[in-house]
Amino acid sequence: MPLTIKETTCEYKRSPLGIDTPHPRLSWKLESEKRGEVQTGYRIQVSAGAEKFDEPLWDSGRVESEASVLVPYAGPELRSRTRYYYRVKAWGRDGTESAWSETAWWEAALLSADEWQANWIGADPAVLDPDDEASPLLRKTFELDGEIASARIYATAAGLYELYLNGERVGEDLMAPGWTSYAKRLQYQTYDVTHSLSQGINALGIALGNGWYKSELAKKNNRYGNRRAALLQLHVLFADGSEQVVVTDPSWKASTGGIRFSEIYHGETFDARLEPAEWRTAEFDDSTWRAATAAEPGTGRLVAQENWPVRVTERLLPVALLRTPAGDTVLDYGQNLVGRVRLRPNVPAGTTIRLRHAEILDRDGNVYYGNLRGARQELVYTASGEAGETYAAAFTFFGFRYVQVEGYPGQDEAGLPFEAFEADVVHSDMPETGRFECSNELINRLNLNIRWGQRGNFLDVPTDCPQRDERLGWTGDAQVFVRTAAFLYQVGPFFAKWLHDLAADQHPDGGVPFVVPNVLQGHSSAAWGDAAVICPWTIYQCYGDKRLLEEQFDSMKAWVEYMRAQGEDEYLWNTGFHFGDWLGLDAKENSYIGATPKDFIATAYYAYSARLVRDAAVALGKAADVRYFGDLYHRVSDAFRREFVTPGGRLAAPTQTAHALALVFGLVEGEVKTRVARELNELVVKNDHHLTTGFVGTPYLCFALSDNGYHDTALKLLMQESYPSWLYPVKQGATTIWEHWDGVKPDGTFWSEHMNSYNHYAYGAIGDWLYRRVVGLDAGDGGTAYRDIRIAPLFGGSDLSFAAATLESPYGTIHSGWRRADDEIALDVALPAGTSATVRLPAADVARILIDGKPADASEDAAVLHAGEGFVELRIGSGRYVLTCPA
Ligand code: RAM
């Protein structure tokens, strides 16, 4: 197969509508069967039409470069509402030229604020009190005269919206416009509606929900405003070149319909009898509707949708019908999921069905609602009785495995028709990128639980949990999980959007809110605020997103400067409030905060973040910042050692978390490091191979052991099935990651209902270690976006007989998998074109390592980088290899 270009993307997406950056970035993947293939040059053409490449708007010409990830468009200034077609070709190692890629496109949205002609509107407050729970409906008819060539809608809302055109739903996005720091930034969405319009009279309809804008969030409603409102602009281009624009303005009509109540935490109440039939169509008589009025929602800058849209990504039928001891009728979906039930009731008009959503059954088998705290999460539906009626909550989501059904006719005798209760799984529709498998089924289930945790909690913002009256963008949780997240799914746009909100909500002194978007008072706990630094750095490493790093750089610096200003000593952070090693098991009785001293954690993170900011400055070529943050990093690390390392060379804090942080953050060196590692190992062994770590220590614990000669101990921790361990919840039947190691105690009782989520991804951060250490599929230091790969599996004892992972990286598919047989281990590696890898294997000498059956030092496709001290390092280029080494 010759050199070919597959999968071109613009701003991470395939042919995206509605991009508002002036220099969109293009990426492509190369495919070649040749080993060691690299790109030596590329050429990009951008044109105004799919057939217009003979007169391109921009032709990069042949550029001698290996770049193929996020290459910025550098042609003439882009125009709003314009589609740009592009194609790419590349040259390979020995000059081979690829054919042009398939043509793809992106479309510019509204590139400046003055392109907006629309006005914010809502229902007249004199007619519908803004605090009336019923959702407003807005509609407008308009006439089109002429042949329609193309049409786009740009729309957003204060609250949430669903859009209809001539009776049909526009797009499939849910929970639009998403959750941002509304007072500063509000996303709008772009829709291609060319084929939904017709000549003559057309009708637009908008349903509005409270959403994050107005719902009760963290015990308070109307956080951003109290009046739901819409902003929409439709541009119709006719075949003769003329244009018509329809906008929201007071000529629209307003009323209410079936949605009587809608809240993020509490669910939705829908009365199908009150939904005016056909209100979304041109034929509907709206003479009883009132005029809409102008609204001022107080929202900030309008930005085109950055994140992946929220969508239904899977449907699940219940797996069982339960009759609980309390006499309830309960559907079990077999999986703790986030989404909604798509109700298809076949019942008489006026029947009210109530669905109550819960995560877990108690010891007696009854549905448990205690851990939801104030969140009601229920759907109350009153049927119209019409044939084929169906309803799925529009403006809310539920975290559940179990649904208690009340009011379904005949449910006590006949049971329930499962097809009438199908569940929609709802989250940000991020492409799946990572797969993992090993020989232990419990660990495979753990990995699945990590994925479900990410799905449920990556619903436009990274939330701590999706079910109780919280569901907030907790910075600490996001920070510990970001690297695992970036393996399992493509989270570039997801974190870019969230980090823009983090910067928007950051305090003038650099303090970082506990949650983003910020709806709480508190800010700036160590390990939570560090999300400002760790997340953009991780996205840069995993996807090569230098622009994001550049955009966030001031925010990153400001956070480190905030820390510098806190301590009584400039280089120690020993003041203020901190969550500490949150939920650590070495906490005092009745405390959530683990035993590791807060100033230890705060100073360790201070050093770590200063170092990452220095590294970011190196990447961005900012010499003065490199010096400043490099110096700061050294001073903070020195201060850390003075304060927390005893003259004898041990850590002053005898906890697993303290030892893990000091090792992983590189705060101890030489003999002290050796001793700290040995003592960490002893702490774990003495605790009968059980962890004591909380949110801060857990993500690093196994890395600290594996990377310092104690991989077998790390593996024992992983394989541990008794409490506390990662596999304990799995053995208890968990299908997601729990907030507490003992969310369900061995005797079947629960942790206190004040804080006991069964879908809290933080401890799922162990995924990162599974992929990068057990499988050994890691990025190297010689580049970003896995251009330089490091394959260094740690086989450990004989607990596992195989482990494999596949990652769809920015350059293409990377695979690494090892299998142990008799006295040999076979390693299967595949690298995409444009990348190369260092493979590290344990062996006394090179001759014991075979590549495709031949000794490694005789292979033409591998260079020996190192041999000795019990390990061999080889350098290989793209392609597929089977390596073997002695077990
Ligand atoms: C809880 C959240 C979150 C954690 C904070 C400190 O309320 O659920 O997971 O980061 O506390």
Side-chain angles (χ1 to χ4, degrees), residues 348-651:
T351 308
T352 295
I353 304 157
R354 182 164 173 239
L355 307 185
R356 298 182 68 192
H357 302 71
E359 288 188 289
I360 199 151
L361 303 178
D362 69 15
R363 185 155 59 155
D364 305 323
N366 289 314
V367 201
Y368 180 66
Y369 296 106
N371 70 327
L372 303 176
R373 304 194 306 212
R376 291 208 298 279
Q377 5 184 49
E378 59 180 35
L379 177 74
V380 180
Y381 181 83
T382 303
S384 67
E386 276 161 34
E389 73 178 302
T390 143
Y391 189 74
F395 300 125
T396 188
F397 56 90
F398 308 89
F400 65 101
R401 170 173 168 171
Y402 300 96
V403 171
Q404 180 183 340
V405 181
E406 291 170 9
Y408 201 91
Q411 66 176 48
D412 294 338
E413 308 78 42
L416 293 167
F418 285 180
E419 340 65 76
F421 294 88
E422 200 173 19
D424 287 343
V425 177
V426 174
H427 52 86
S428 290
D429 195 4
M430 332 160 260
E432 187 182 333
T433 51
R435 289 261 161 190
F436 164 88
E437 211 196 339
C438 71
S439 53
N440 181 308
E441 278 316 316
L442 294 174
I443 294 168
N444 291 337
R445 181 67 231 191
L446 171 68
N447 185 57
L448 211 55
N449 294 359
I450 298 171
R451 286 181 37 174
W452 275 103
Q454 180 168 357
R455 294 174 79 183
N457 283 296
F458 276 42
L459 202 158
D460 209 43
V461 299
T463 55
D464 57 332
C465 60
Q467 74 298 78
R468 70 178 176 223
D469 55 354
E470 189 153 12
R471 313 185 185 192
L472 303 177
W474 278 95
T475 46
D477 308 44
Q479 177 271 107
V480 301
F481 191 66
V482 58
R483 182 76 194 231
T484 304
F487 177 84
L488 292 173
Y489 289 90
Q490 214 306 336
V491 293
F494 182 91
F495 273 98
K497 168 202 165 250
W498 186 71
L499 286 166
H500 292 150
D501 289 306
L502 184 150
D505 278 344
Q506 203 165 357
H507 292 250
D509 64 359
V512 174
F514 292 158
V515 299
V516 172
N518 187 18
V519 292
L520 298 179
Q521 292 295 324
H523 67 92
S524 305
S525 162
W528 271 250
D530 296 277
V533 173
I534 293 167
C535 295
W537 178 249
T538 304
I539 296 301
Y540 169 66
Q541 284 185 304
C542 294
Y543 304 117
D545 197 333
K546 205 173 198 169
R547 178 179 294 167
L548 180 68
L549 198 62
E550 180 89 57
E551 286 166 346
Q552 297 302 124
F553 193 61
D554 285 344
S555 154
M556 298 166 75
K557 286 203 299 188
W559 168 246
V560 174
E561 283 299 291
Y562 175 88
M563 293 192 274
R564 194 172 69 83
Q566 298 314 304
E568 290 144 8
D569 173 324
E570 191 178 346
Y571 307 114
L572 283 178
W573 188 6
N574 52 11
T575 56
F577 169 82
H578 299 281
F579 293 112
D581 188 20
W582 189 245
L583 307 188
L585 294 172
D586 45 13
K588 288 203 192 95
E589 191 69 18
N590 295 322
S591 167
Y592 284 146
I593 298 181
T596 308
K598 291 181 184 180
D599 54 347
F600 182 104
I601 295 173
T603 305
Y605 265 96
Y606 179 15
Y608 182 53
S609 276
R611 171 157 65 92
L612 294 186
V613 173
R614 180 205 60 192
D615 293 349
V618 171
L620 297 172
K622 296 180 187 285
D625 290 318
V626 173
R627 279 194 301 278
Y628 178 84
F629 289 97
D631 181 58
L632 185 59
Y633 161 58
H634 289 296
R635 284 168 194 268
V636 177
S637 322
D638 287 344
F640 174 91
R641 287 187 282 267
R642 273 198 308 276
E643 189 78 5
F644 301 112
V645 181
T646 67
R650 344 168 33 189
L651 284 189

Side-chain angles (χ1 to χ4, degrees), residues 153-192:
I153 288 178
Y154 305 93
T156 187
L160 299 173
Y161 74 97
E162 279 192 352
L163 189 59
Y164 299 89
L165 189 50
N166 296 326
E168 297 295 322
R169 176 79 204 277
V170 175
E172 335 153 50
D173 304 358
L174 299 175
M175 305 299 281
W179 188 11
T180 48
S181 172
Y182 290 136
K184 288 144 196 158
R185 297 167 8 95
L186 175 64
Q187 292 191 131
Y188 64 90
Q189 286 71 37
T190 304
Y191 306 97
D192 181 351

